[in-house]
Amino acid sequence: MASEALFQTVYKQWLAAHVRKRTGERRRRLEEGHGHAERKFVELIWYPFFGGFDHLHPEYELVDFGGNLRFVDFAWIRDPVKLAIEIDGFSAHASNLSRRQFDDGLLRQNHLVIDGWYVLRFSYDQVRDQPGMCQQIVQQFFGKIWTLGVTRSIDGMSADELLEREVIRLALRKNRPLHPADVRRCLKLSEWHTKQLIKRLVSKGLLEPLHADRQRIRCYRVVRERLTL
């Protein structure tokens, strides 16, 4: 209940701050376009991952590569990374679309990519029914740009610190000994990076190796009493 109340407070403050900054069409789009599906995305996927909304813009206005004015549901911008996130409702984005609207949607996404944007798209059903899968995709995206060295810090934490936090969260979700392969699959990391990440967590006392035999460490457990994450 306390975490739910905290989310409600942080969410309302974040949304109100963006409303105050906008006027005219930009404000109308935010007030009318940010609905139930978008709220569920930040509640079930974004906020549990980041614990806040730094650098995340709802109903973000942009001019695409073709010179057209567009709005995306969310934009996360941290130079040099530009990420557009769309939440698609089935009725609005599939069965009720005309051929022209369908074509325009494809052109819109192509222009975003050409203009240097990353694009992640989720259906409302995925957000509602498979939030864990959606959050894993977000994790994999940021794991990729961190390991490529595109950005080194976010929300006051270094990329390595955020990856360490996600390894601990992964281990807690699985509620069993953690294998390096779990980390590689979830965060899309190389074997070398996975080893370095686990090594740091062991040195900090947050993971403890479990020996399947005397020769090789095969899995790890979370040292819960040391957690402050």
Side-chain angles (χ1 to χ4, degrees), residues 20-38:
R20 287 195 300 269
K21 295 175 184 177
R22 302 187 186 187
T23 59
E25 176 65 7
R26 295 177 67 244
R27 181 164 183 161
R28 186 192 71 79
R29 284 296 298 252
L30 177 55
E31 292 176 332
E32 297 181 6
H34 186 84
H36 178 73
E38 290 77 18

Side-chain angles (χ1 to χ4, degrees), residues 115-128:
D115 201 27
W117 287 80
Y118 295 93
V119 180
L120 294 180
R121 298 183 71 172
F122 303 96
S123 72
Y124 171 67
D125 289 349
Q126 289 173 327
V127 170
R128 180 190 61 195

Side-chain angles (χ1 to χ4, degrees), residues 163-175:
L163 287 173
E164 289 170 10
R165 185 180 71 174
E166 289 312 304
V167 170
I168 295 299
R169 285 160 57 88
L170 173 65
L172 293 174
R173 285 199 307 272
K174 289 189 173 297
N175 197 30

Side-chain angles (χ1 to χ4, degrees), residues 69-124:
L69 184 64
R70 304 288 195 179
F71 285 87
V72 294
D73 292 333
F74 298 99
W76 185 86
I77 302 172
R78 187 80 181 272
D79 189 53
V81 179
K82 300 183 295 184
L83 169 65
I85 302 172
E86 296 276 55
I87 314 301
D88 298 335
F90 177 76
S91 62
H93 291 83
S95 61
N96 292 340
L97 287 183
S98 68
R99 288 181 178 273
R100 182 175 179 178
Q101 289 171 320
F102 179 74
D103 289 346
D104 184 65
L106 298 179
L107 184 62
R108 173 178 181 267
Q109 179 162 323
N110 289 342
H111 279 157
L112 284 171
V113 173
I114 292 170
D115 201 27
W117 287 80
Y118 295 93
V119 180
L120 294 180
R121 298 183 71 172
F122 303 96
S123 72
Y124 171 67

